[in-house]
Amino acid sequence: MTGTQRLLAIAMAFLLTSNSGSGKADALGMVVLADHARLGSGAAAEGTTIYDGDRLSTDADGSMRFMIGEAIVYLPDQSCVTLHKGTSGAGKEFEAELVSGKVVLSVTTGTAAEIVASSARIRPVSETRGVVEVGIVGPHELIVFARRGPAQISYRGESETIAEGKSYRVLLNNSDDDAPADQGAKKTGKRGKALVLIVVGVTAAAGIAALWGGGKGSKAGIESPDHP
């Protein structure tokens, strides 16, 4: 069975289960790959159902992939997210709150999902399938890589768009003081910016791209989330 067929089979099983009328809370998604991975304090396994508020994490050398509707979320080793069901009423399906490490989000047009990291909100804005990768560097510092299609980051009323294939170090100014000065940051024409974006060099961006295909906990047989 190919990776695509395996994903479709698991997704179909999830849809049948979530529509069974068991009376439990509505399922949010399903784990499709788990290697040294956890759901809460217990071990996660392929086929595990995910609910609103669940915390998913990976150990050293671990990895996890799960589907929520048509969206695919991937966690490399030593990463953790908490999932929240969308409540905006505007079609948003879920938020993946990044607690530590890195996360990759792959969505199709019409799937309003986003990553929340250090109070910043990041989402793909591609006209087809978009893929964005976000990593936490420090309390107010992220790395954002627009892997496929552009990505948008919003923080404290400000927004920036990152072009496809570009990777930026993102500094988040959470005070009313001026944003930290740093050579290479996008020029904004005003002081006190909440968002400061600094382009990451080609070599560093290549290393970020290699994370997906060559993570220690990755397994063959499941295609990457940026595969159409």
Side-chain angles (χ1 to χ4, degrees):
M1 181 181 291
T2 67
T4 300
Q5 290 173 330
R6 189 180 182 189
L7 284 175
L8 289 174
I10 295 175
M12 183 61 70
F14 164 69
L15 290 174
L16 292 173
T17 302
S18 62
N19 291 326
S20 63
S22 62
K24 296 181 179 180
D26 291 339
L28 191 60
M30 176 175 283
V31 175
V32 296
L33 169 68
D35 179 33
H36 294 87
R38 296 183 177 277
L39 174 58
S41 59
E46 292 183 11
T48 301
T49 302
I50 302 168
Y51 295 92
D52 180 32
D54 279 347
R55 173 169 289 202
L56 301 102
S57 60
T58 53
D59 299 330
D61 298 329
S63 64
M64 177 185 286
R65 195 170 309 164
F66 48 93
M67 297 184 67
I68 300 178
E70 295 184 354
I72 303 172
V73 183
Y74 171 74
L75 289 181
D77 61 311
Q78 296 183 313
S79 299
C80 178
V81 297
T82 300
L83 297 179
H84 303 285
K85 188 175 182 179
T87 58
S88 68
K92 179 161 59 177
E93 295 183 4
F94 71 95
E95 299 173 355
E97 182 182 356
L98 183 60
V99 178
S100 61
K102 306 178 184 70
V103 63
V104 180
L105 172 64
S106 172
V107 299
T108 56
T109 303
T111 301
E114 59 188 6
I115 298 167
V116 179
S118 300
S119 298
R121 296 179 175 272
I122 306 100
R123 63 187 180 92
V125 288
S126 174
E127 294 182 355
T128 54
R129 178 172 286 277
V131 182
V132 64
E133 179 177 329
V134 179
I136 293 179
V137 179
H140 307 295
E141 184 176 344
L142 311 172
I143 291 289
V144 179
F145 179 26
R147 188 175 177 85
R148 178 173 178 177
Q152 184 180 76
I153 178 169
S154 301
Y155 180 70
R156 297 187 67 198
E158 298 179 11
S159 295
E160 296 281 358
T161 299
I162 297 175
E164 179 179 24
K166 299 295 184 180
S167 181
Y168 280 88
R169 176 182 166 209
V170 179
L171 305 181
L172 304 172
N173 181 21
N174 67 336
S175 71
D176 293 329
D177 298 332
D178 290 344
D182 202 319
Q183 187 175 6
K186 278 191 173 183
K187 294 182 179 180
T188 61
K190 65 177 182 178
R191 297 173 65 84
K193 286 284 291 181
L195 275 173
V196 177
L197 274 62
I198 305 164
V199 68
V200 175
V202 174
T203 301
I208 295 171
L211 169 81
W212 174 256
K216 294 180 181 178
S218 61
K219 289 185 176 180
I222 302 284
E223 294 177 354
S224 69
D226 58 349
H227 193 286

